[in-house]
Amino acid sequence: MSLFKLAVLISGSGSNLQAVIDAVADGTIPDAKVELVISSRDGVYGLERADNHGITSMVINRNDSAKLSKTLEDHKIDGIVLAGYLSIIPPKVIKTYKSKIINIHPALLPMFGGKGFYGIRVHQAVLTAGVNYTGATAHLADNEYDTGDVLVRSVVPVLSGDTAEVLQKRVLEVEHRTLVRAVKALAENRIDELVKNPVTFVSEEDREGVNAFAQGMINLGKALTETDNGDL
Ligand code: GRF
């Protein structure tokens, strides 16, 4: 049985990449392999993570779409994960890998997403807006920033006294399992099912507050929440 070959695209420290590497290694993401790590920047820690696990890695300039396409083709890549990749994917690659490219975003899309919403800016915007909940979203990539079909969301509370840095740390923790859940569905060929019924995970203690959030989703005809018991 051939393994589902993943290419993980990064631009920074790669903690989401590490979560995918670990989930493939322990079988949470079954019958898959992180075949390639591609960074848009040199000297980032994510490249060291790839080296530490003996994974082929390289730097490809964000504007070199021909090299990106050829590299993915040469390695017979089945699916692509954008793990803190700070650039838009060339239309040719989006077309070739339709519904096979997953991005992780540190907010509850469609809120606080789009051009300019990346890194600490997202969490500053959440605090400025004064919302009670934020979280992470794994979604399919399309030709725009953060507008592809949502697959998995995980909700965390915004607590009084939170700084953008504290919030970023709390969100990053749930980003990892949000991304792993979506990549697991990709490797198990369950993406269509998730596009139809995206899943939103909440912690038990936040459930009541988040049900208001869920009620909004219901009014929009979207799926209900699931209790986050940590199972992946
Ligand atoms: C994450 O917050 C991700 O959502 C955002 O960039 C950050 C990358 O973190 N796009 P890491 O490099 O995976 O640690």
Side-chain angles (χ1 to χ4, degrees):
M1 176 174 171
S2 65
L3 293 177
F4 190 87
K5 287 184 175 178
L6 293 165
V8 182
L9 277 57
I10 63 169
S11 299
S13 81
S15 71
N16 280 289
L17 161 65
Q18 190 67 55
V20 173
I21 290 173
D22 297 345
V24 166
D26 70 17
T28 301
I29 300 175
D31 309 319
K33 180 185 182 206
V34 179
E35 173 76 15
L36 205 52
V37 171
I38 297 173
S39 179
S40 62
R41 293 178 179 163
D42 206 349
V44 294
Y45 185 58
L47 290 168
E48 278 185 49
R49 293 181 195 268
D51 292 350
N52 294 346
H53 293 271
I55 299 168
T56 307
S57 65
M58 62 187 69
V59 177
I60 298 181
N61 183 294
R62 51 187 293 192
N63 303 314
D64 194 343
S65 54
K67 184 171 181 190
L68 179 62
S69 298
K70 184 164 184 332
T71 305
L72 296 168
E73 201 182 319
D74 290 350
H75 286 260
K76 297 187 176 38
I77 294 299
D78 298 306
I80 300 171
V81 179
L82 308 181
Y85 186 70
L86 297 176
S87 184
I88 211 137
I89 298 296
K92 182 170 178 275
V93 175
I94 293 283
K95 194 157 174 262
T96 308
Y97 287 91
K98 187 167 176 4
S99 299
K100 294 191 180 315
I101 309 178
I102 292 176
N103 181 47
I104 185 72
H105 183 76
L108 296 173
L109 294 174
M111 299 176 281
F112 309 108
K115 197 166 174 48
F117 279 95
Y118 61 88
I120 201 74
R121 298 167 178 215
V122 176
H123 308 289
Q124 282 157 347
V126 166
L127 289 174
T128 306
V131 293
N132 298 329
Y133 292 98
T134 185
T137 305
H139 64 98
L140 290 176
D142 59 12
N143 291 313
E144 309 295 333
Y145 283 102
D146 308 323
T147 54
D149 290 319
V150 167
L151 303 170
V152 182
R153 292 185 185 90
S154 295
V155 179
V156 299
V158 179
L159 305 173
S160 67
D162 273 349
T163 61
E165 289 73 19
V166 166
L167 202 48
Q168 183 176 42
K169 201 161 169 293
R170 186 177 308 129
V171 171
L172 194 58
E173 272 167 35
V174 296
E175 282 186 52
H176 299 157
R177 58 177 180 268
T178 306
L179 181 59
V180 166
R181 283 171 168 143
V183 177
K184 178 177 169 67
L186 179 64
E188 294 172 343
N189 200 17
R190 292 186 289 108
I191 289 296
D192 293 348
E193 180 195 312
L194 269 184
V195 167
K196 286 196 207 92
N197 293 303
V199 183
T200 300
F201 288 85
V202 299
S203 64
E204 187 57 43
E205 58 269 17
D206 291 322
R207 193 174 180 84
E208 204 185 307
V210 171
N211 271 343
F213 169 83
Q215 192 53 53
M217 300 275 278
I218 293 166
N219 298 349
L220 293 171
K222 300 287 181 187
L224 289 179
T225 59
E226 301 251 358
T227 301
D228 191 349
N229 56 17
D231 288 352
L232 293 178

